[in-house]
Amino acid sequence: MRILVSGASIAGPVLAYWLARHGFDVTVVERAPALRRTGGHAVDLFRPAMDITERMGVLPQVEARATGTTRMTLHREGSRKPIHVDLAKLFQATSDRHVEVMRDDLSEIYYDAGRDDVEYLFGESITALSPDGEVTFEHAPARRFDIVVGADGLHSNVRRLVFGDEAGMTTFIGAYLAVLSLPDTLGLDSEAVTHLGPGRTVSLYSARHLPDARAVFLFRRDEPLDYHHRDVPRQQQLLRAAFAGLHPQVDGWLAKLDGPGPFYFDSITQLRLDTWSRGRVTLVGDAGYCPGPAVGGSTSLAVLGAYVLAGELAAANGDHERAFAAYEREMGELVRRSRAFAVGAARSLIPSSRAGVWALAHGGRLISALPAGATRAIAKLNTAGVRMHDSMRVKDYAVTATA
Ligand SMILES: Cc1cc2nc3c(=O)[nH]c(=O)nc-3n(C[C@H](O)[C@H](O)[C@H](O)COP(=O)(O)OP(=O)(O)OC[C@H]3O[C@@H](n4cnc5c(N)ncnc54)[C@H](O)[C@@H]3O)c2cc1C
């Protein structure tokens, strides 16, 4: 049985790995000319994604490339006195099993795990899909597949071809995200430097194995901004305007915007589809159920979704109708909870008022001061909130073939 996957970031390579393990014949097309190493920011893997990564045999590689950020110096707009936050304690409170890793490192590790058993075509994109499985490409000759999966992100090409334009499916949740790569002039060993003001926050951090530092900017807007998702100069202009006057150090980071380093900008947008399968096509990860980049645990959800989809296809012996229904049943409730979690996280991570800034900063200080056991005990009471990801269970699927 031949399965085509569009997208090779996180969901695509994890799905391809597990499909190959279950004995399917897998091809992945990725629009970028090579695996994208465009300096995304750190992503969180929570317990379910850690368990799946361990089953893939690559957990040591992921842990070796963890960012290792354990402390944060937090500067509030208009206050001279920084607050020191114990991030290690904060992470321990949110998850029993968690690692923070750069998106591009994680993508490479998952890709390497399955590449020998999967056909990868880079610089390629699907142009049309017919209901009987005939697929045409930008460059390669047309081919027939039994199943097609869109793992091509929030602005998914497969979703557009099958479900239509994304307008009406996405809900802007009031914030923007940008990531910039900068020289690590502060020597940020295990430490993040954050500036926080009403409606905007930016953190600079690095990782021991990285030559650069990454600045991640989050800012609020009540209404969506006017720009195209490929218009980088316009996005940079909007970012400068949003952070003007926050702090001279931030002005210095923004001055590097014109440099050659990678830049990422997106709205924090939620995808709200009630079903993400049609005919022999389905979606996985951000393409099907992005809860919102940077705020909803979208990477962990993408890893879990990819693993479940492959497992259900194997359990149904490739019967896509049965498998897609089971996949949506397994993921539906988790997707709904992740959406609710993301809306709350966006609100608390980017407080809109001075009082909210004060509460966030002092909450961080309080957690740093409490014994780790106490913060964990308080957090464990909250399985719908900070502990939501840890409460997701990972089903066992029998692996019929070996990689
Ligand atoms: C370059 C990059 C940087 C990112 N940086 C951040 C970040 O800083 N913070 C954050 O929270 N999230 C970021 N993300 C999103 C984050 O990776 C996802 O939210 C999450 O990991 C789920 O992954 P995914 O595989 O479902 O989707 P994505 O990671 O978005 O991957 C989608 C993949 O599909 C590919 N693709 C797109 N269109 C086509 C097409 N027509 N044909 C073939 N392939 C296509 C893309 O090139 C990409 O490799 C970034 C994603 C990318 C691609």
Side-chain angles (χ1 to χ4, degrees):
M1 172 161 271
R2 297 169 68 186
I3 302 185
L4 174 65
V5 179
S6 170
S9 172
I10 302 294
V14 174
L15 176 65
Y17 170 90
W18 283 106
L19 287 173
R21 285 286 306 267
H22 289 300
F24 294 102
D25 184 358
V26 192
T27 298
V28 180
V29 288
E30 163 59 51
R31 189 184 56 201
L35 207 63
R36 291 180 62 164
R37 297 202 51 86
T38 44
H41 97 116
V43 293
D44 295 300
L45 285 192
F46 295 103
R47 171 176 280 287
M50 294 280 280
D51 292 351
I52 293 162
T53 305
E54 188 169 41
R55 292 177 194 191
M56 292 170 73
V58 292
L59 191 58
Q61 287 90 315
V62 172
E63 287 179 328
R65 292 212 230 167
T67 59
T69 307
T70 53
R71 292 169 291 124
M72 177 164 72
T73 303
L74 176 63
H75 302 270
R76 282 163 301 148
E77 189 172 4
S79 165
R80 288 200 186 173
K81 218 169 142 211
I83 287 178
H84 298 283
V85 180
D86 185 338
L87 287 179
K89 234 186 238 176
L90 207 70
F91 288 139
Q92 279 165 18
T94 56
S95 182
D96 285 336
R97 207 171 189 207
H98 163 268
V99 71
E100 188 190 64
V101 59
M102 294 294 180
R103 186 209 65 87
D104 34 6
D105 283 338
L106 188 64
S107 175
E108 186 176 46
I109 291 168
Y110 288 149
Y111 166 72
D112 284 343
R115 63 191 291 185
D116 291 343
D117 303 297
V118 172
E119 178 190 29
Y120 274 93
L121 302 176
F122 287 95
E124 190 57 273
S125 181
I126 298 170
T127 51
L129 294 159
S130 74
D132 66 352
E134 178 81 3
V135 180
T136 57
F137 299 97
E138 255 170 32
H139 308 290
R143 278 157 75 171
R144 193 172 290 273
F145 292 89
D146 300 292
I147 289 169
V148 179
V149 185
D152 41 8
L154 183 55
H155 308 289
S156 167
N157 178 46
V158 170
R159 193 181 66 235
R160 186 180 51 76
L161 290 170
V162 177
F163 290 82
D165 195 60
E166 70 186 47
M169 298 176 198
T170 52
T171 302
F172 172 61
I173 56 175
Y176 283 86
L177 158 78
V179 185
L180 179 62
S181 164
L182 298 169
D184 182 10
T185 49
L186 299 178
L188 293 166
D189 187 13
S190 325
E191 190 189 353
V193 175
T194 298
H195 291 274
L196 176 68
R200 53 188 181 170
T201 179
V202 50
S203 284
L204 189 76
Y205 56 84
S206 185
R208 231 156 278 149
H209 64 283
L210 286 182
D212 62 338
R214 311 271 163 95
V216 55
F217 298 80
L218 295 166
F219 63 99
R220 280 186 170 283
R221 282 295 173 268
D222 290 336
E223 297 298 328
L225 295 167
D226 180 24
Y227 72 97
H228 187 273
H229 70 265
R230 301 239 177 87
D231 185 352
V232 171
R234 171 78 182 136
Q235 294 164 9
Q236 295 181 335
Q237 182 190 28
L238 291 166
L239 187 65
R240 276 196 195 91
F243 282 84
L246 177 58
H247 191 276
Q249 191 174 41
V250 179
D251 294 342
W253 299 342
L254 287 170
K256 303 275 189 333
L257 262 178
D258 296 327
F263 175 73
Y264 175 82
F265 187 98
D266 211 342
S267 63
I268 302 193
T269 293
Q270 228 171 49
L271 193 61
R272 294 191 184 159
L273 293 176
D274 295 329
T275 173
W276 47 87
S277 311
R278 191 168 287 174
R280 57 183 75 239
V281 178
T282 193
L283 305 168
V284 68
D286 278 9
Y289 33 80
C290 179
V295 290
S298 49
T299 303
S300 284
L301 199 62
V303 171
L304 182 59
Y307 168 83
V308 169
L309 173 57
E312 294 296 345
L313 275 165
N317 281 324
D319 174 342
H320 63 264
E321 281 181 23
R322 263 202 304 140
F324 291 173
Y327 162 53
E328 296 203 4
R329 253 193 326 271
E330 276 295 312
M331 295 302 294
E333 181 54 24
L334 305 180
V335 167
R336 280 187 288 279
R337 280 163 59 195
S338 298
R339 283 182 199 147
F341 174 86
V343 172
R347 254 189 235 124
S348 46
L349 286 175
I350 325 164
S352 54
S353 64
R354 286 203 175 277
V357 168
W358 189 92
L360 181 61
H362 287 270
R365 181 147 71 186
L366 179 68
I367 286 176
S368 308
L370 282 173
T375 51
R376 258 204 306 277
I378 294 166
K380 272 188 176 153
L381 299 174
N382 188 358
T383 52
V386 291
R387 303 284 293 193
M388 180 201 61
H389 295 102
D390 265 29
S391 67
M392 297 177 177
R393 78 195 168 95
V394 177
K395 210 170 149 179
D396 284 321
Y397 295 100
V399 174
T400 47
T402 47

